[in-house]
Amino acid sequence: MQNPYIPYPVEVIKIITEVETKDQKTFRLAFLNKQDEENFKYMPGQFAELSIYGKGESPIGIASSPTQPGYIEFTVQKAGVVTSALHAMEEGTKMGVRGPLGNFYPIEYLEGKNIVIVGGGFAFTTLRSLINYMIFGENRKRFGKITVVYGARNPGLLLYKDELEAWGKRDDINLNLTVDKGDATWKGREGFIPAVCEQVAPSSENAVVIICGPPVMIRFTLPVFFNLGFSKENIITSLEMRMKCGIGKCGRCNVGSKYVCKDGPVFTLAELDQLTKEY
Amino acid sequence: MEKRSIKKDALAGIIKKVAGDMLVYAPVKEEDGVFFRALGAGMEPQTTYANTKNAPKNIFFPHTEKMMKYTRTDKGMEFVENGDPAKDAVLFGSRPCDAKSFTLLDLLFDQEKYKDPFYCDKREKTIVVTQACVHPPYSTCFCTSVDGSPTSEAGSDVMLTDMGDSYLVEFFTPKGEKLLKYFGDAKPDAAAEAKKKEIAETAAAEIVSHIPAKEIKPILDVNFEHPFWNTIHQRCLACGTCTFLCPTCHCFDISDEVKYDDGIRVRNWDSCMFPMFTQETSGHNPRPSQKERWRQRTMHKFKYYIDMFGAISCVGCGRCVMYCPVNIDIRKIVTDISKL
Ligand SMILES: Cc1cc2nc3c(=O)[nH]c(=O)nc-3n(C[C@H](O)[C@H](O)[C@H](O)COP(=O)(O)OP(=O)(O)OC[C@H]3O[C@@H](n4cnc5c(N)ncnc54)[C@H](O)[C@@H]3O)c2cc1C
Ligand code: SF4
Ligand code: FES
């Protein structure tokens, strides 16, 4: 019987320090066994347990897109035991990955619709996966307009800078970057995400918004989208709860009758309304 | 169904004989109570105990369990092997409430997607021999309020019923029939069936605790924010006794233990009663006080488990009632909720 607790062995093949504070890094992992890579079929929005023997495991959203074969990526904020151990790693180290876990962004539902993506801070990871998925080759035709609003406290804290630049040059993404406070080199917008969303004012006509970020950001941004006419069915977000097993057994991550690890982490606001507010 | 009849004084000998051939867990007297233990040489299995202090769930879901082993290499720690495989075993003398708890744990651990290999391996290899409660042992027993009974068959492969001068032995499953050879050839007499029925009725009638456990789900559905939740948790010490003794509680933690170059990943029982259970690294805790934790415990047993699996996650064994150091009584809580 396949043991869902045993991680696939992977090697850290690349580490990218994303931000100037150096506490957010992207880890590129390659499977040591080809078969495991095939078993690890994922979709944007899913997460995995990054597993370091001797330290423990942490649930982390998958930041790469399934359209990028050969490796998977995770962007990790240094926080406690496991994430600090990760940050201390060097390229070439072996570790483990358990997954893919959880549900994913409802790609089929998103097809044919205009997509608005709103990300704040380092919660941008699975949104990046989704964007890369949607703009990849022939995939792009399956979706309508793509509008992105992504912000961080300052320019140094924006993730995936090379990619942002490349996206900015495409005419099939409306990319809106913003920082709370710019610096000498920053030529883009300044302002909080809710205000920028108000200015960009994407139409709610045949549109879905996917929003991830710190709770306060979400709290102030939601009214903007309600005013624009988005229904709760068309606002999608991703929840975080403390996790261990990631497969609905250890009883830790439930919100009401749903396990965030198994039934989530992706929910529409309409679905969240059915749940208790215990997250 | 195969049935046998054995003399009452033959039982302990039979248990020991089985223990000579395979792993047997049986109730054993120890310090201040009776506990399930792997029966070793010189240990005396109890046949006339009320109930064990601990639920037998730890036979399938141990308090602490090795999941895997790993070792240090120059490229980091690497996987060595899985935890220990289960052995063929017999669990002797669980009570019907505890046996029923296995069917509830099966719903969680034995799902099609994500089967829990540690639990399922042990569960599949263990024969459950239950001792019917001819006289329900405690005033705190309330199995009949949660779809159980003192003679319920749920979760049992074999059942022993004390018929006065003999035991009626019923083999409910093919797995249980593997033990047939130990129980001799004597079949129960013609009157046994009627007598067992009578015993079942008398035993059920002797249960004194009755609670409206099956009626509160619709009330819980709409009362997450009710002020009632402010009233039950105040004296709770967050000791976790109720959850550790509970036959159906299944929450666990996963942690790593390393000694020099070798390590193991283990899972240990955890408890929703503990403040750190849901606390995130940021300090944020979705269940910040004992109020939310008690609400979670109640909701999980009498609402969430029904939503998820269609069954109440309580078997009415009464252990949490008996052993809570500050006398928080789930029977009272359920009854109070029914009046909200
Ligand atoms: C679905 C999901 C996706 C996530 N995606 C990312 C991501 O892309 N990048 C990122 O940096 N962080 C992400 N997190 C948060 C990340 O899991 C925690 O920061 C991390 O587990 C902290 O672990 P630690 O060992 O460093 O901290 P410690 O405080 O030492 O934590 C001990 C253990 O507690 C658990 N835990 C603690 N906090 C959390 C938490 N907030 N969420 C879940 N489990 C927790 C973990 O099992 C962890 O190993 C995500 C969380 C979830 C639930
Ligand atoms: S046994 Fe009693 S005091 Fe201990 S956690 Fe349970 S309810 Fe609280
Ligand atoms: S993380 Fe174990 S149940 Fe969700």
PDB file of all heavy atoms in Angstrom, chain B residues 163-186:
ATOM      1  N   MET B 163     -22.975 -16.356  30.020  1.00  0.00           N
ATOM      2  CA  MET B 163     -24.330 -16.905  30.115  1.00  0.00           C
ATOM      3  C   MET B 163     -24.606 -17.450  31.519  1.00  0.00           C
ATOM      4  O   MET B 163     -25.539 -18.226  31.723  1.00  0.00           O
ATOM      5  CB  MET B 163     -24.515 -18.034  29.096  1.00  0.00           C
ATOM      6  CG  MET B 163     -24.115 -17.668  27.691  1.00  0.00           C
ATOM      7  SD  MET B 163     -25.280 -16.568  26.868  1.00  0.00           S
ATOM      8  CE  MET B 163     -26.426 -17.772  26.192  1.00  0.00           C
ATOM      9  N   GLY B 164     -23.796 -17.099  32.477  1.00  0.00           N
ATOM     10  CA  GLY B 164     -23.987 -17.605  33.839  1.00  0.00           C
ATOM     11  C   GLY B 164     -22.953 -18.659  34.146  1.00  0.00           C
ATOM     12  O   GLY B 164     -21.971 -18.386  34.820  1.00  0.00           O
ATOM     13  N   ASP B 165     -23.136 -19.876  33.568  1.00  0.00           N
ATOM     14  CA  ASP B 165     -22.159 -20.929  33.844  1.00  0.00           C
ATOM     15  C   ASP B 165     -21.219 -21.172  32.665  1.00  0.00           C
ATOM     16  O   ASP B 165     -20.293 -21.966  32.744  1.00  0.00           O
ATOM     17  CB  ASP B 165     -22.890 -22.238  34.207  1.00  0.00           C
ATOM     18  CG  ASP B 165     -23.984 -22.543  33.190  1.00  0.00           C
ATOM     19  OD1 ASP B 165     -24.136 -21.751  32.222  1.00  0.00           O
ATOM     20  OD2 ASP B 165     -24.681 -23.561  33.360  1.00  0.00           O
ATOM     21  N   SER B 166     -21.494 -20.494  31.560  1.00  0.00           N
ATOM     22  CA  SER B 166     -20.635 -20.691  30.381  1.00  0.00           C
ATOM     23  C   SER B 166     -20.534 -19.385  29.603  1.00  0.00           C
ATOM     24  O   SER B 166     -21.254 -18.429  29.882  1.00  0.00           O
ATOM     25  CB  SER B 166     -21.242 -21.769  29.480  1.00  0.00           C
ATOM     26  OG  SER B 166     -22.492 -21.293  28.986  1.00  0.00           O
ATOM     27  N   TYR B 167     -19.610 -19.390  28.629  1.00  0.00           N
ATOM     28  CA  TYR B 167     -19.559 -18.267  27.693  1.00  0.00           C
ATOM     29  C   TYR B 167     -20.137 -18.706  26.360  1.00  0.00           C
ATOM     30  O   TYR B 167     -19.772 -19.773  25.850  1.00  0.00           O
ATOM     31  CB  TYR B 167     -18.113 -17.819  27.438  1.00  0.00           C
ATOM     32  CG  TYR B 167     -17.532 -16.919  28.503  1.00  0.00           C
ATOM     33  CD1 TYR B 167     -16.505 -17.376  29.328  1.00  0.00           C
ATOM     34  CD2 TYR B 167     -17.977 -15.599  28.648  1.00  0.00           C
ATOM     35  CE1 TYR B 167     -15.948 -16.555  30.291  1.00  0.00           C
ATOM     36  CE2 TYR B 167     -17.414 -14.776  29.616  1.00  0.00           C
ATOM     37  CZ  TYR B 167     -16.400 -15.250  30.433  1.00  0.00           C
ATOM     38  OH  TYR B 167     -15.853 -14.433  31.375  1.00  0.00           O
ATOM     39  N   LEU B 168     -21.001 -17.887  25.811  1.00  0.00           N
ATOM     40  CA  LEU B 168     -21.426 -18.079  24.435  1.00  0.00           C
ATOM     41  C   LEU B 168     -20.376 -17.373  23.576  1.00  0.00           C
ATOM     42  O   LEU B 168     -20.038 -16.213  23.835  1.00  0.00           O
ATOM     43  CB  LEU B 168     -22.807 -17.446  24.218  1.00  0.00           C
ATOM     44  CG  LEU B 168     -23.270 -17.321  22.761  1.00  0.00           C
ATOM     45  CD1 LEU B 168     -23.523 -18.694  22.144  1.00  0.00           C
ATOM     46  CD2 LEU B 168     -24.530 -16.466  22.674  1.00  0.00           C
ATOM     47  N   VAL B 169     -19.839 -18.090  22.581  1.00  0.00           N
ATOM     48  CA  VAL B 169     -18.815 -17.495  21.720  1.00  0.00           C
ATOM     49  C   VAL B 169     -19.376 -17.400  20.303  1.00  0.00           C
ATOM     50  O   VAL B 169     -19.690 -18.421  19.687  1.00  0.00           O
ATOM     51  CB  VAL B 169     -17.530 -18.353  21.710  1.00  0.00           C
ATOM     52  CG1 VAL B 169     -16.394 -17.590  21.038  1.00  0.00           C
ATOM     53  CG2 VAL B 169     -17.141 -18.762  23.127  1.00  0.00           C
ATOM     54  N   GLU B 170     -19.545 -16.176  19.812  1.00  0.00           N
ATOM     55  CA  GLU B 170     -20.101 -15.989  18.464  1.00  0.00           C
ATOM     56  C   GLU B 170     -19.013 -15.458  17.534  1.00  0.00           C
ATOM     57  O   GLU B 170     -18.324 -14.501  17.868  1.00  0.00           O
ATOM     58  CB  GLU B 170     -21.265 -14.988  18.507  1.00  0.00           C
ATOM     59  CG  GLU B 170     -22.451 -15.483  19.308  1.00  0.00           C
ATOM     60  CD  GLU B 170     -23.411 -14.347  19.646  1.00  0.00           C
ATOM     61  OE1 GLU B 170     -23.024 -13.472  20.462  1.00  0.00           O
ATOM     62  OE2 GLU B 170     -24.512 -14.328  19.087  1.00  0.00           O
ATOM     63  N   PHE B 171     -18.911 -16.102  16.371  1.00  0.00           N
ATOM     64  CA  PHE B 171     -17.892 -15.699  15.392  1.00  0.00           C
ATOM     65  C   PHE B 171     -18.592 -14.936  14.267  1.00  0.00           C
ATOM     66  O   PHE B 171     -19.231 -15.537  13.426  1.00  0.00           O
ATOM     67  CB  PHE B 171     -17.152 -16.936  14.863  1.00  0.00           C
ATOM     68  CG  PHE B 171     -16.405 -17.673  15.936  1.00  0.00           C
ATOM     69  CD1 PHE B 171     -17.059 -18.584  16.771  1.00  0.00           C
ATOM     70  CD2 PHE B 171     -15.056 -17.439  16.139  1.00  0.00           C
ATOM     71  CE1 PHE B 171     -16.369 -19.252  17.770  1.00  0.00           C
ATOM     72  CE2 PHE B 171     -14.360 -18.107  17.141  1.00  0.00           C
ATOM     73  CZ  PHE B 171     -15.015 -19.008  17.965  1.00  0.00           C
ATOM     74  N   PHE B 172     -18.445 -13.617  14.273  1.00  0.00           N
ATOM     75  CA  PHE B 172     -19.194 -12.795  13.317  1.00  0.00           C
ATOM     76  C   PHE B 172     -18.538 -12.722  11.941  1.00  0.00           C
ATOM     77  O   PHE B 172     -19.199 -12.440  10.956  1.00  0.00           O
ATOM     78  CB  PHE B 172     -19.336 -11.352  13.829  1.00  0.00           C
ATOM     79  CG  PHE B 172     -20.056 -11.243  15.146  1.00  0.00           C
ATOM     80  CD1 PHE B 172     -19.552 -10.427  16.156  1.00  0.00           C
ATOM     81  CD2 PHE B 172     -21.250 -11.924  15.370  1.00  0.00           C
ATOM     82  CE1 PHE B 172     -20.209 -10.299  17.363  1.00  0.00           C
ATOM     83  CE2 PHE B 172     -21.917 -11.804  16.585  1.00  0.00           C
ATOM     84  CZ  PHE B 172     -21.387 -10.990  17.592  1.00  0.00           C
ATOM     85  N   THR B 173     -17.222 -12.866  11.890  1.00  0.00           N
ATOM     86  CA  THR B 173     -16.515 -12.619  10.626  1.00  0.00           C
ATOM     87  C   THR B 173     -15.582 -13.777  10.298  1.00  0.00           C
ATOM     88  O   THR B 173     -15.163 -14.523  11.190  1.00  0.00           O
ATOM     89  CB  THR B 173     -15.632 -11.352  10.736  1.00  0.00           C
ATOM     90  OG1 THR B 173     -14.622 -11.597  11.715  1.00  0.00           O
ATOM     91  CG2 THR B 173     -16.425 -10.120  11.126  1.00  0.00           C
ATOM     92  N   PRO B 174     -15.232 -13.917   9.014  1.00  0.00           N
ATOM     93  CA  PRO B 174     -14.247 -14.943   8.634  1.00  0.00           C
ATOM     94  C   PRO B 174     -12.928 -14.746   9.386  1.00  0.00           C
ATOM     95  O   PRO B 174     -12.268 -15.707   9.760  1.00  0.00           O
ATOM     96  CB  PRO B 174     -14.045 -14.708   7.135  1.00  0.00           C
ATOM     97  CG  PRO B 174     -15.259 -13.975   6.683  1.00  0.00           C
ATOM     98  CD  PRO B 174     -15.741 -13.173   7.847  1.00  0.00           C
ATOM     99  N   LYS B 175     -12.583 -13.490   9.626  1.00  0.00           N
ATOM    100  CA  LYS B 175     -11.357 -13.211  10.368  1.00  0.00           C
ATOM    101  C   LYS B 175     -11.446 -13.820  11.768  1.00  0.00           C
ATOM    102  O   LYS B 175     -10.518 -14.463  12.254  1.00  0.00           O
ATOM    103  CB  LYS B 175     -11.215 -11.688  10.462  1.00  0.00           C
ATOM    104  CG  LYS B 175      -9.863 -11.171  10.821  1.00  0.00           C
ATOM    105  CD  LYS B 175      -9.802  -9.694  10.414  1.00  0.00           C
ATOM    106  CE  LYS B 175      -9.303  -8.804  11.501  1.00  0.00           C
ATOM    107  NZ  LYS B 175      -9.411  -7.380  11.189  1.00  0.00           N
ATOM    108  N   GLY B 176     -12.594 -13.646  12.399  1.00  0.00           N
ATOM    109  CA  GLY B 176     -12.806 -14.194  13.737  1.00  0.00           C
ATOM    110  C   GLY B 176     -12.746 -15.717  13.738  1.00  0.00           C
ATOM    111  O   GLY B 176     -12.257 -16.336  14.690  1.00  0.00           O
ATOM    112  N   GLU B 177     -13.229 -16.328  12.639  1.00  0.00           N
ATOM    113  CA  GLU B 177     -13.267 -17.797  12.578  1.00  0.00           C
ATOM    114  C   GLU B 177     -11.880 -18.427  12.597  1.00  0.00           C
ATOM    115  O   GLU B 177     -11.742 -19.616  12.858  1.00  0.00           O
ATOM    116  CB  GLU B 177     -14.048 -18.252  11.338  1.00  0.00           C
ATOM    117  CG  GLU B 177     -15.550 -18.088  11.551  1.00  0.00           C
ATOM    118  CD  GLU B 177     -16.359 -18.386  10.304  1.00  0.00           C
ATOM    119  OE1 GLU B 177     -15.781 -18.896   9.322  1.00  0.00           O
ATOM    120  OE2 GLU B 177     -17.564 -18.091  10.324  1.00  0.00           O
ATOM    121  N   LYS B 178     -10.863 -17.627  12.352  1.00  0.00           N
ATOM    122  CA  LYS B 178      -9.500 -18.155  12.448  1.00  0.00           C
ATOM    123  C   LYS B 178      -9.203 -18.643  13.869  1.00  0.00           C
ATOM    124  O   LYS B 178      -8.268 -19.402  14.086  1.00  0.00           O
ATOM    125  CB  LYS B 178      -8.484 -17.075  12.077  1.00  0.00           C
ATOM    126  CG  LYS B 178      -8.473 -16.747  10.601  1.00  0.00           C
ATOM    127  CD  LYS B 178      -7.277 -15.850  10.296  1.00  0.00           C
ATOM    128  CE  LYS B 178      -7.529 -15.011   9.072  1.00  0.00           C
ATOM    129  NZ  LYS B 178      -6.752 -13.784   9.036  1.00  0.00           N
ATOM    130  N   LEU B 179      -9.994 -18.155  14.820  1.00  0.00           N
ATOM    131  CA  LEU B 179      -9.757 -18.558  16.212  1.00  0.00           C
ATOM    132  C   LEU B 179     -10.593 -19.761  16.630  1.00  0.00           C
ATOM    133  O   LEU B 179     -10.489 -20.242  17.760  1.00  0.00           O
ATOM    134  CB  LEU B 179     -10.048 -17.390  17.162  1.00  0.00           C
ATOM    135  CG  LEU B 179      -9.141 -16.162  17.060  1.00  0.00           C
ATOM    136  CD1 LEU B 179      -9.592 -15.103  18.054  1.00  0.00           C
ATOM    137  CD2 LEU B 179      -7.683 -16.535  17.311  1.00  0.00           C
ATOM    138  N   LEU B 180     -11.465 -20.245  15.717  1.00  0.00           N
ATOM    139  CA  LEU B 180     -12.383 -21.344  16.058  1.00  0.00           C
ATOM    140  C   LEU B 180     -11.689 -22.503  16.772  1.00  0.00           C
ATOM    141  O   LEU B 180     -12.172 -23.013  17.778  1.00  0.00           O
ATOM    142  CB  LEU B 180     -13.019 -21.879  14.773  1.00  0.00           C
ATOM    143  CG  LEU B 180     -14.457 -21.437  14.462  1.00  0.00           C
ATOM    144  CD1 LEU B 180     -14.865 -21.983  13.110  1.00  0.00           C
ATOM    145  CD2 LEU B 180     -15.416 -21.887  15.558  1.00  0.00           C
ATOM    146  N   LYS B 181     -10.516 -22.866  16.234  1.00  0.00           N
ATOM    147  CA  LYS B 181      -9.851 -24.068  16.742  1.00  0.00           C
ATOM    148  C   LYS B 181      -9.495 -23.995  18.229  1.00  0.00           C
ATOM    149  O   LYS B 181      -9.314 -25.011  18.873  1.00  0.00           O
ATOM    150  CB  LYS B 181      -8.596 -24.354  15.917  1.00  0.00           C
ATOM    151  CG  LYS B 181      -7.572 -23.241  15.973  1.00  0.00           C
ATOM    152  CD  LYS B 181      -6.323 -23.589  15.161  1.00  0.00           C
ATOM    153  CE  LYS B 181      -5.342 -22.439  15.255  1.00  0.00           C
ATOM    154  NZ  LYS B 181      -4.287 -22.446  14.287  1.00  0.00           N
ATOM    155  N   TYR B 182      -9.422 -22.801  18.764  1.00  0.00           N
ATOM    156  CA  TYR B 182      -9.057 -22.687  20.180  1.00  0.00           C
ATOM    157  C   TYR B 182     -10.259 -22.897  21.113  1.00  0.00           C
ATOM    158  O   TYR B 182     -10.115 -22.977  22.310  1.00  0.00           O
ATOM    159  CB  TYR B 182      -8.463 -21.310  20.481  1.00  0.00           C
ATOM    160  CG  TYR B 182      -7.155 -21.053  19.764  1.00  0.00           C
ATOM    161  CD1 TYR B 182      -7.120 -20.325  18.587  1.00  0.00           C
ATOM    162  CD2 TYR B 182      -5.958 -21.547  20.286  1.00  0.00           C
ATOM    163  CE1 TYR B 182      -5.928 -20.081  17.928  1.00  0.00           C
ATOM    164  CE2 TYR B 182      -4.754 -21.310  19.633  1.00  0.00           C
ATOM    165  CZ  TYR B 182      -4.746 -20.572  18.457  1.00  0.00           C
ATOM    166  OH  TYR B 182      -3.567 -20.340  17.816  1.00  0.00           O
ATOM    167  N   PHE B 183     -11.470 -22.878  20.537  1.00  0.00           N
ATOM    168  CA  PHE B 183     -12.645 -22.861  21.392  1.00  0.00           C
ATOM    169  C   PHE B 183     -13.380 -24.197  21.475  1.00  0.00           C
ATOM    170  O   PHE B 183     -14.526 -24.264  21.897  1.00  0.00           O
ATOM    171  CB  PHE B 183     -13.596 -21.745  20.937  1.00  0.00           C
ATOM    172  CG  PHE B 183     -13.098 -20.372  21.317  1.00  0.00           C
ATOM    173  CD1 PHE B 183     -12.249 -19.666  20.474  1.00  0.00           C
ATOM    174  CD2 PHE B 183     -13.454 -19.791  22.537  1.00  0.00           C
ATOM    175  CE1 PHE B 183     -11.780 -18.410  20.823  1.00  0.00           C
ATOM    176  CE2 PHE B 183     -12.982 -18.529  22.891  1.00  0.00           C
ATOM    177  CZ  PHE B 183     -12.139 -17.838  22.035  1.00  0.00           C
ATOM    178  N   GLY B 184     -12.724 -25.281  21.069  1.00  0.00           N
ATOM    179  CA  GLY B 184     -13.312 -26.607  21.225  1.00  0.00           C
ATOM    180  C   GLY B 184     -14.476 -26.841  20.276  1.00  0.00           C
ATOM    181  O   GLY B 184     -14.719 -26.070  19.343  1.00  0.00           O
ATOM    182  N   ASP B 185     -15.223 -27.911  20.532  1.00  0.00           N
ATOM    183  CA  ASP B 185     -16.296 -28.303  19.622  1.00  0.00           C
ATOM    184  C   ASP B 185     -17.687 -28.099  20.196  1.00  0.00           C
ATOM    185  O   ASP B 185     -18.680 -28.269  19.498  1.00  0.00           O
ATOM    186  CB  ASP B 185     -16.143 -29.789  19.247  1.00  0.00           C
ATOM    187  CG  ASP B 185     -14.805 -30.037  18.568  1.00  0.00           C
ATOM    188  OD1 ASP B 185     -14.395 -29.155  17.780  1.00  0.00           O
ATOM    189  OD2 ASP B 185     -14.178 -31.070  18.860  1.00  0.00           O
ATOM    190  N   ALA B 186     -17.761 -27.774  21.479  1.00  0.00           N
ATOM    191  CA  ALA B 186     -19.083 -27.704  22.102  1.00  0.00           C
ATOM    192  C   ALA B 186     -19.902 -26.556  21.516  1.00  0.00           C
ATOM    193  O   ALA B 186     -19.482 -25.405  21.523  1.00  0.00           O
ATOM    194  CB  ALA B 186     -18.930 -27.530  23.608  1.00  0.00           C
TER     195      ALA B 186
END
